Amino acid sequence: MQNISHWSKEEIKALFKFVEIKKCEGMPLIKIFDEYAALTARQQNSVRNYYYKELAYLSQNLNLAKDLEINLDNHQVTKATSFSTDETNDIVNNIDNLKAEGYSVRKACLMLSGNDAGKMIRLQNKYRSVKASQAPMGEIIKMPQRQVIGDEEIKALFLGLVKLIKKGEQEKAKNMVEKELYDANQKLKNAVNELIIKNFEVQRLQKNIMICQQENQNLAKTVQEKNIALANEKSKSAKLLASFWKERGKVKLEQTN
């Protein structure tokens, strides 16, 4: 598959960045294509067809997508399932009933979609296609007119697109800074926690040292007391022994006499 697009790389990047930003704002793709067509003086169908064609091409050429700095995860296309015959009839009847109460087609579709913009567009398109197919031959179906804008407005809108892209880059830079600050804060917290743990360990060791010092003091005191007691016992033994020999000497002397 070859890329035969006449769009420049800058135009491709601008289109995909514009779609990415507007999708984040909750805008449906059909409206995004409308706005981009107005910005670049292109046909809405041309923008839409090119976007899907280029998306399919980039999906098979990931290196090119990376080179264009396009994150394909932000451009996944959700394929809508077709309405069944019963669902189509219900849609038409419900919208006709709301129109009879004074609501516009757009307002009726918005109510039936539960304020879901994407679903509202689907309901509106389905209703109009059914009504167009039911119209008698020769009857003109009035469709919404595209607003014509001048060169100055196009220039202003394009500058707005540039600002949006710059804003997106600023948000990206902001997110990177916030992430770095968060990582640094986490590292600081981890370091503080490690210091607290080490401080507890130091306190535990100091307490153990104090216990050992106290035990050494108690042991030294006990040894000293034992030495004193032993010295006293030796003194007593010496006195008893001296007394014994003295008494024995007296006995011998008496026996001699």
Side-chain angles (χ1 to χ4, degrees):
M1 182 177 180
Q2 295 182 347
N3 187 1
I4 58 174
S5 169
H6 58 278
W7 289 42
S8 67
K9 285 187 176 182
E10 290 71 22
E11 289 176 312
I12 296 172
K13 290 173 68 174
L15 169 61
F16 277 77
K17 177 61 70 174
F18 185 80
V19 170
E20 190 172 317
I21 292 172
K22 289 298 182 180
K23 281 180 70 176
C24 289
E25 295 175 359
M27 183 179 291
L29 273 174
I30 189 169
K31 183 66 176 176
I32 296 175
F33 297 144
D34 277 336
E35 284 202 10
Y36 194 82
L39 283 171
T40 57
R42 294 179 182 271
Q43 293 294 320
Q44 190 266 1
N45 288 343
S46 174
V47 174
R48 179 195 63 201
N49 293 340
Y50 174 74
Y51 173 77
Y52 287 122
K53 175 184 174 183
E54 188 67 22
L55 180 58
Y57 177 75
L58 292 175
S59 297
Q60 298 181 18
N61 295 270
L62 300 181
N63 288 334
L64 177 59
K66 184 178 180 180
D67 181 57
L68 294 172
E69 299 179 354
I70 295 174
N71 186 352
L72 295 180
D73 291 339
N74 297 327
H75 297 274
Q76 296 296 328
V77 179
T78 303
K79 296 183 178 180
T81 56
S82 301
F83 292 112
S84 66
T85 302
D86 290 339
E87 288 174 330
T88 300
N89 292 334
D90 288 339
I91 290 169
V92 174
N93 291 335
N94 290 333
I95 294 175
D96 283 339
N97 290 335
L98 289 172
K99 283 182 64 181
E101 296 178 13
Y103 293 96
S104 66
V105 173
R106 182 179 179 84
K107 182 64 176 178
C109 292
L110 191 60
M111 291 177 61
L112 293 174
S113 68
N115 293 324
D116 185 324
K119 187 176 180 181
M120 181 272 290
I121 294 295
R122 291 190 66 213
L123 295 177
Q124 182 175 273
N125 290 342
K126 174 56 69 174
Y127 178 80
R128 285 176 175 163
S129 67
V130 171
K131 288 299 181 181
S133 66
Q134 293 175 350
M137 292 296 294
E139 182 177 340
I140 298 176
I141 305 298
K142 189 175 181 180
M143 300 298 287
Q145 298 277 330
R146 180 184 296 278
Q147 184 180 4
V148 179
I149 59 178
D151 292 340
E152 289 301 321
E153 291 174 298
I154 291 175
K155 183 178 179 181
L157 289 171
F158 193 79
L159 290 175
L161 171 60
V162 173
K163 288 181 180 179
L164 280 174
I165 293 175
K166 287 183 177 179
K167 181 180 178 181
E169 294 300 323
Q170 289 174 352
E171 287 294 326
K172 182 179 178 182
K174 178 184 176 183
N175 292 336
M176 289 179 63
V177 171
E178 289 179 348
K179 184 179 184 303
E180 289 178 357
L181 288 175
Y182 175 80
D183 292 341
N185 189 46
Q186 287 299 115
K187 289 180 179 179
L188 179 60
K189 286 183 178 178
N190 293 337
V192 170
N193 289 333
E194 288 180 4
L195 286 174
I196 291 174
I197 293 172
K198 288 180 179 179
N199 185 52
F200 284 147
E201 184 66 18
V202 169
Q203 291 179 355
R204 185 183 67 81
L205 291 173
Q206 289 176 338
K207 185 177 180 180
N208 289 339
I209 290 171
M210 290 178 63
I211 292 173
C212 290
Q213 289 176 340
Q214 185 63 44
E215 290 179 348
N216 287 337
Q217 290 177 357
N218 293 337
L219 181 60
K221 184 178 179 180
T222 300
V223 170
Q224 184 179 14
E225 291 175 350
K226 293 292 184 182
N227 287 335
I228 292 173
L230 181 61
N232 290 335
E233 289 297 326
K234 285 183 176 179
S235 177
K236 289 180 181 180
S237 296
K239 288 179 180 181
L240 289 173
L241 184 60
S243 176
F244 169 76
W245 287 113
K246 184 178 181 180
E247 289 297 327
R248 186 174 180 182
K250 287 181 179 181
V251 171
K252 285 184 177 181
L253 182 59
E254 290 177 356
Q255 290 178 351
T256 302
N257 293 330

